[in-house]
Amino acid sequence: MTAHIFSVLVEDSPGVLSRVTGLFSRRGFNIESLAVGHCEQPDTSRITIVVTGNDVQIEQVKKQLNKLIEVIKVLDVSEYEHVERELALIKIRAEPGTARSEIMQIAGIFRAKIIDVGLDTLVVEVTGDSGKITAIEDLLKPYGILELVRTGKIALQRGSALVSSGK
Amino acid sequence: MKSGAQILIEGLKEQGVDIIFGYPGGVVLPIYDELYDADIRHILVRHEQAAIHAADGYARASGKTGVCLATSGPGACNLVTGLATAYMDSIPVVAITGQVPTSLLGNDAFQESDITGITMPVTKHNYLVQDARDLKRIIREAFYIAGTGRKGPVLIDIPKDVSTAMVPDTDGPDDQPRLRGYKPRCQGHSRMIQRAVDLLLQAKRPIIYAGGGVILSDASTELVTLAERLCMPVTTTLMGLGCIPTDHPLNLGMLGMHGTEYANYAITESDLLFSIGVRFDDRVTGKIEAFAPQAKVIHIDIDPAEIGKNKQPDVPIVGDAKSVLTDIIKKIPESCPHPEWSETVAGWKKNHPLRYNSDGKLYPQFVIKTLAKILADKGVIVSEVGQNQMWTAQWFKFTRPRQWISSGGLGTMGYGFPASMGAHFACPDQPVVVLAGDGSFQMNIQELGTVAQYNIPVKVIVLNNQFLGMVRQWQQLFYEHRYSYTELPEVHFERIAKAYGIEGATVTRASDVEAAIRTALLHPGPYVLDIRVEREENVFPMVPAGANISEMIVGHHTEHEEG
Ligand SMILES: Cc1cc2nc3c(=O)[nH]c(=O)nc-3n(C[C@H](O)[C@H](O)[C@H](O)COP(=O)(O)OP(=O)(O)OC[C@H]3O[C@@H](n4cnc5c(N)ncnc54)[C@H](O)[C@@H]3O)c2cc1C
Ligand SMILES: Cc1ncc(C[n+]2csc(CCOP(=O)(O)OP(=O)(O)O)c2C)c(N)n1
């Protein structure tokens, strides 16, 4: 069982997301994370889905996705050299004083940004791979994480290769 | 300027549609108004489920795409079972539903249901049309998707205001299909084809396992040619029946749970399993690890997702069966006999024929055998689901593809009778006969109204055992005879038929069967023949669910062999 990152190019039409997610739940595949947005081509969105499974299951996921009429292209990015990122926003309890400066130091080490400062809270924005985000989360936990939100993973192949159109 | 409804009807005609099965309602009034003087025939069914089964039966018998029409909400929801039935068996159907006006969508308006949401898992694709200007393109796409690649049902949901909207009648680039993500593949990969040829020429005990894909691809001629050239026995799935004539010397009949003993033995002993347009369904394979355990596997399928789904092939070939078989035949110019293997298979066939008792009682197998004798090579045979379906599959003598119409994947009781109406319109010159159980027939028996109204001359033979026979059989064999809610009271189907103005008869003796069937077939209109068969007869052979297919329960039948 390994995690795979599927980069799925789809028609930008209503219902396409429920077709894709419906397929996962119907066939018993588990989605670990999901990110959707427009991409470089007009009328086209890119869905990045992280799914774990054995080889046979992963092969089925890919083939079943390809069968959806509105799916233009499916690539298992994790099979290739690639870059991947997630973004997290973390709201932490941070009374003025030592706590606050320690948090700001930690953020600095992780190249995270403080994007909101409240009377006794801070919001930290961090991007990186999952490991980095988990690491900063662990370090910030003792100060009291009030809220945390993580985007799904997004990824691109390294170099000049493209997830171009055409199945 | 044209209305959406006009564009729809013209779009259907452009696709060659000359008949649709439907049922009206509020939001499809504009479409029905357009149909009033269109030269497309509309058959008014008695339940929307029947409309889609009829469209599906039409598609199976003709090879064309069937069309049905229903109103929003309850009408659309009544199509769901039919869509799932067509989807499981890869049947091309376009279902058109009305929808509440776009301004009310999502409002829980009167008779609103999210039919595109509901049917997503049981359609190949579906559309909610938001703008009448998209309609022309969507109709073209829908038919293209339904009828190409791995075929299947497509639903088009049309809000009422889209039907009434007046839009310019264009035929520009925007009206052409725009399907970036849909490119069905037909041609097989040449290297894989060569590997298949090599295996075929090396094999000592090859067998063909052919299914619905051969029928869908119209590849029966190629299949028989190749089988003859390589002297390979052929076994078919329930869905593949007819792709080789039952009486062909190489044919081993159906395999699987209720397959013939010799087909299941041959599969088990084979060293090469040449699988064409099949999906290794669990009703066929039984315990998958023990299915063709010694064989190398070649798998031809147009749907890449079927390859390796249940069994990993040694040679996967993605492509249309007809195209791939044609390529293979070209590379095998000479015949290549396997005398020893042929002899072994012939031995099984001789020593383990299908059987039933010959004690003079009225057995369902006898009814089907008699029907086969009378029809010879004529007729379209439609079954319901259950024992009636299995006995027909085992005992009818099929002579050609598209002669056999049956719900295999979903096993939808109530499918057969409505499907037979569609089969009649596809093959108006053929006698169409439904083999039904008394349970299944009562699931869409209201269609007697439709066949009476349009004088659709289908013949329903009810193998009346006053049981949900197939379930009763399982209860007998695996639940210690505890017949929990499977007994049905006596129903006089002849009288029901007559109430609809349809002719019928009731038969209780074996000696009357032949004459009764002849009378039914000679009758110019629809006919219901209620045949009171032995109530607790079982379908054998039978592979218990999940068992090895060579381990069949064969029953205790005495005489009366096939032939
Ligand atoms: C009560 C009951 C009992 C049953 N018992 C049995 C039994 O004993 N034996 C049995 O065989 N079945 C039995 N069935 C039927 C069974 O459930 C399946 O429906 C059937 O076995 C599937 O047939 P198939 O493998 O031919 O696939 P189909 O469902 O017909 O699928 C066709 C396959 O061909 C592919 N295909 C489609 N078009 C093409 C093309 N152009 N070129 C190449 N490939 C193509 C498709 O992708 C698919 O994989 C039973 C059903 C019921 C209801
Ligand atoms: C709609 C539906 N409901 C339930 C079933 C489960 N089922 C399969 S066979 C069968 C019995 C069929 O009885 P009948 O039509 O009388 O045919 P017989 O088996 O007696 O020939 C049932 C209930 C089904 N296949 N379809």
Side-chain angles (χ1 to χ4, degrees):
Chain A
M1 299 279 273
T2 42
H4 290 250
I5 308 169
F6 283 102
S7 183
V8 187
L9 224 51
V10 299
E11 295 286 351
D12 191 6
S13 65
V16 66
L17 186 60
S18 58
R19 280 182 213 282
V20 169
T21 53
L23 185 148
F24 277 76
S25 58
R26 188 161 74 249
R27 297 201 178 255
F29 308 137
N30 257 328
I31 297 181
E32 297 211 338
S33 90
L34 179 87
V36 198
H38 292 291
C39 70
E40 74 286 351
Q41 300 173 39
D43 306 321
T44 311
S45 294
R46 191 189 301 276
I47 306 181
T48 309
I49 308 171
V50 180
V51 53
T52 43
N54 61 35
D55 290 353
V56 178
Q57 287 168 323
I58 294 297
E59 186 66 19
Q60 268 296 307
V61 171
K62 190 171 168 185
K63 287 170 164 177
Q64 293 295 344
L65 280 170
N66 261 316
K67 275 174 74 167
L68 295 178
I69 307 291
E70 289 169 332
V71 167
I72 300 161
K73 174 87 184 175
V74 183
L75 189 83
D76 184 350
V77 181
S78 41
E79 282 182 2
Y80 303 89
E81 284 290 308
H82 66 277
V83 285
E84 56 179 78
R85 288 290 179 270
E86 266 175 65
L87 182 147
L89 300 180
I90 309 169
K91 183 181 287 181
I92 320 160
R93 186 179 307 288
E95 310 282 347
T98 35
R100 190 170 276 222
S101 53
E102 281 175 20
I103 290 167
M104 291 170 72
Q105 267 179 6
I106 292 172
I109 294 166
F110 281 85
R111 293 177 200 264
K113 280 190 268 179
I114 309 292
I115 56 171
D116 182 65
V117 183
L119 273 182
D120 52 2
T121 59
L122 289 175
V123 176
V124 177
E125 174 202 308
V126 58
T127 48
D129 58 21
S130 319
K132 175 175 168 186
I133 292 177
T134 308
I136 191 171
E137 189 186 330
D138 288 345
L139 283 173
L140 294 176
K141 227 174 242 163
Y143 301 94
I145 293 178
L146 300 169
E147 271 183 317
L148 183 145
V149 53
R150 269 166 100 145
T151 63
K153 192 174 279 181
I154 54 173
L156 283 179
Q157 260 179 285
R158 285 186 187 273
S160 52
L162 304 175
V163 183
S164 55
S165 14
K167 279 186 189 175
Chain B
M1 302 289 270
K2 278 188 177 148
S3 73
Q6 259 176 308
I7 292 173
L8 170 67
I9 300 301
E10 288 177 10
L12 294 177
K13 277 168 51 188
E14 180 185 82
Q15 299 298 327
V17 175
D18 48 23
I19 188 161
I20 67 184
F21 303 88
Y23 206 84
V27 296
V28 284
L29 277 167
I31 299 174
Y32 269 86
D33 192 56
E34 217 38 66
L35 274 172
Y36 187 68
D37 38 24
D39 57 357
I40 290 182
R41 188 156 186 211
H42 175 277
I43 301 295
L44 176 68
V45 293
R46 296 296 176 274
H47 187 303
E48 290 86 354
Q49 186 186 352
I52 184 150
H53 289 331
D56 167 316
Y58 176 86
R60 292 187 204 224
S62 67
K64 296 194 279 185
T65 297
V67 181
C68 66
L69 171 60
T71 192
S72 64
C77 287
N78 275 344
L79 298 180
V80 173
T81 306
L83 289 168
T85 303
Y87 185 68
M88 282 293 259
D89 290 344
S90 310
I91 305 303
V93 172
V94 170
I96 295 156
T97 49
Q99 181 54 282
V100 301
T102 47
S103 57
L104 293 179
L105 276 175
N107 232 332
D108 301 321
F110 176 63
Q111 295 196 329
E112 175 180 7
S113 63
D114 173 14
I115 199 64
T116 45
I118 290 171
T119 61
M120 231 172 239
V122 293
T123 51
K124 186 170 172 186
H125 194 51
N126 62 23
Y127 293 91
L128 170 59
V129 188
Q130 307 259 21
D131 186 331
R133 281 170 298 193
D134 296 335
L135 202 47
K136 191 175 241 173
R137 171 180 57 82
I138 287 177
I139 293 162
R140 289 173 175 170
E141 288 183 0
F143 276 84
Y144 180 64
I145 292 169
T148 55
R150 180 173 185 173
K151 298 174 184 180
V154 177
L155 179 134
I156 310 176
D157 197 24
I158 309 180
K160 187 172 185 183
D161 56 325
V162 171
S163 291
T164 52
M166 298 300 290
V167 291
D169 180 33
T170 56
D171 194 5
D174 283 350
D175 299 307
Q176 297 311 316
R178 202 171 51 205
L179 295 165
R180 290 190 284 169
Y182 181 67
K183 299 190 176 61
R185 173 176 184 146
C186 288
Q187 209 102 34
H189 194 291
S190 59
R191 205 179 62 225
M192 290 300 157
I193 287 176
Q194 188 55 51
R195 280 178 55 191
V197 169
D198 294 345
L199 285 185
L200 284 165
L201 293 174
Q202 284 159 20
K204 300 263 180 310
R205 301 184 308 280
I207 185 167
I208 292 180
Y209 153 41
V214 176
I215 311 272
L216 291 162
S217 154
D218 286 323
S220 305
T221 316
E222 291 75 10
L223 176 103
V224 174
T225 307
L226 186 66
E228 287 174 350
R229 202 161 290 177
L230 289 171
C231 304
M232 271 193 287
V234 180
T235 175
T236 73
T237 65
L238 182 78
M239 301 311 293
L241 290 172
C243 70
I244 179 168
T246 304
D247 276 342
H248 193 289
L250 288 170
N251 185 20
L252 303 181
M254 184 170 79
L255 79 166
M257 180 175 277
H258 291 296
T260 60
E261 283 179 75
Y262 39 92
N264 287 346
Y265 294 146
I267 286 278
T268 308
E269 293 302 319
S270 65
D271 70 350
L272 179 66
L273 184 66
F274 188 25
S275 330
I276 314 170
V278 288
R279 53 187 179 83
F280 293 84
D281 185 85
D282 52 272
R283 288 270 149 145
V284 168
T285 62
K287 188 166 147 212
I288 188 93
E289 299 77 29
F291 184 68
Q294 313 166 34
K296 289 237 189 296
V297 177
I298 304 170
H299 189 185
I300 305 176
D301 204 293
I302 203 159
D303 179 358
E306 285 302 336
I307 290 185
K309 187 176 85 175
N310 296 325
K311 179 143 181 130
Q312 203 59 48
D314 299 276
V315 181
I317 308 180
V318 177
D320 174 53
K322 192 182 186 84
S323 153
V324 174
L325 288 176
T326 307
D327 289 348
I328 291 179
I329 290 168
K330 278 193 219 134
K331 290 177 178 278
I332 302 181
E334 278 164 36
S335 88
C336 167
H338 312 277
E340 264 179 56
W341 175 231
S342 302
E343 212 171 291
T344 313
V345 174
W348 285 322
K349 211 169 165 177
K350 180 158 178 291
N351 296 325
H352 306 278
L354 291 167
R355 274 182 258 245
Y356 67 92
N357 283 335
S358 62
D359 50 15
K361 292 183 186 156
L362 206 177
Y363 287 102
Q365 299 93 325
F366 169 72
V367 174
I368 294 155
K369 214 172 140 176
T370 308
L371 176 71
K373 185 180 81 178
I374 297 171
L375 283 175
D377 59 352
K378 285 199 289 296
V380 177
I381 305 302
V382 189
S383 83
E384 287 288 352
V385 167
Q387 294 182 310
N388 58 85
Q389 179 181 31
M390 293 298 112
W391 284 318
T392 311
Q394 292 178 336
W395 291 89
F396 193 80
K397 288 190 186 300
F398 300 96
T399 54
R400 61 197 145 76
R402 303 196 179 283
Q403 183 185 16
W404 163 241
I405 294 177
S406 189
S407 165
L410 203 66
T412 307
M413 289 173 69
Y415 167 82
F417 179 37
S420 75
M421 303 192 294
H424 163 73
F425 289 106
C427 307
D429 302 327
Q430 290 282 349
V432 177
V433 182
V434 186
L435 276 302
D438 48 324
S440 298
F441 187 35
Q442 291 184 82
M443 278 217 180
N444 270 318
I445 196 167
Q446 77 287 345
E447 295 310 311
L448 285 169
T450 312
V451 298
Q453 180 174 358
Y454 297 98
N455 196 30
I456 303 172
V458 296
K459 319 297 175 190
V460 182
I461 298 181
V462 188
L463 300 172
N464 189 348
N465 53 14
Q466 293 172 48
F467 273 115
L468 298 173
M470 183 55 95
V471 183
R472 182 208 55 73
Q473 173 169 343
W474 284 59
Q475 290 173 335
Q476 179 189 335
L477 298 176
F478 309 115
Y479 293 86
E480 296 154 356
H481 278 81
R482 288 156 58 87
Y483 292 171
S484 179
Y485 303 103
T486 42
E487 188 162 7
L488 299 173
E490 180 180 22
V491 174
H492 295 275
F493 291 105
E494 178 188 350
R495 285 192 223 154
I496 294 182
K498 287 189 170 144
Y500 278 96
I502 293 170
E503 276 305 308
T506 307
V507 174
T508 54
R509 283 186 313 218
S511 53
D512 294 336
V513 167
E514 178 163 348
I517 293 178
R518 287 190 190 279
T519 308
L521 289 171
L522 283 174
H523 182 73
Y527 200 94
V528 175
L529 193 56
D530 178 353
I531 304 191
R532 305 298 173 91
V533 295
E534 269 307 295
R535 294 192 63 204
E536 299 189 41
E537 178 64 359
N538 288 330
V539 182
F540 289 125
M542 175 171 195
V543 180
N548 182 331
I549 62 162
S550 62
E551 291 160 8
M552 289 159 277
I553 308 174
V554 292
H556 306 290
H557 295 127
T558 46
E559 291 156 51
H560 257 311
E561 303 188 347
E562 56 190 298

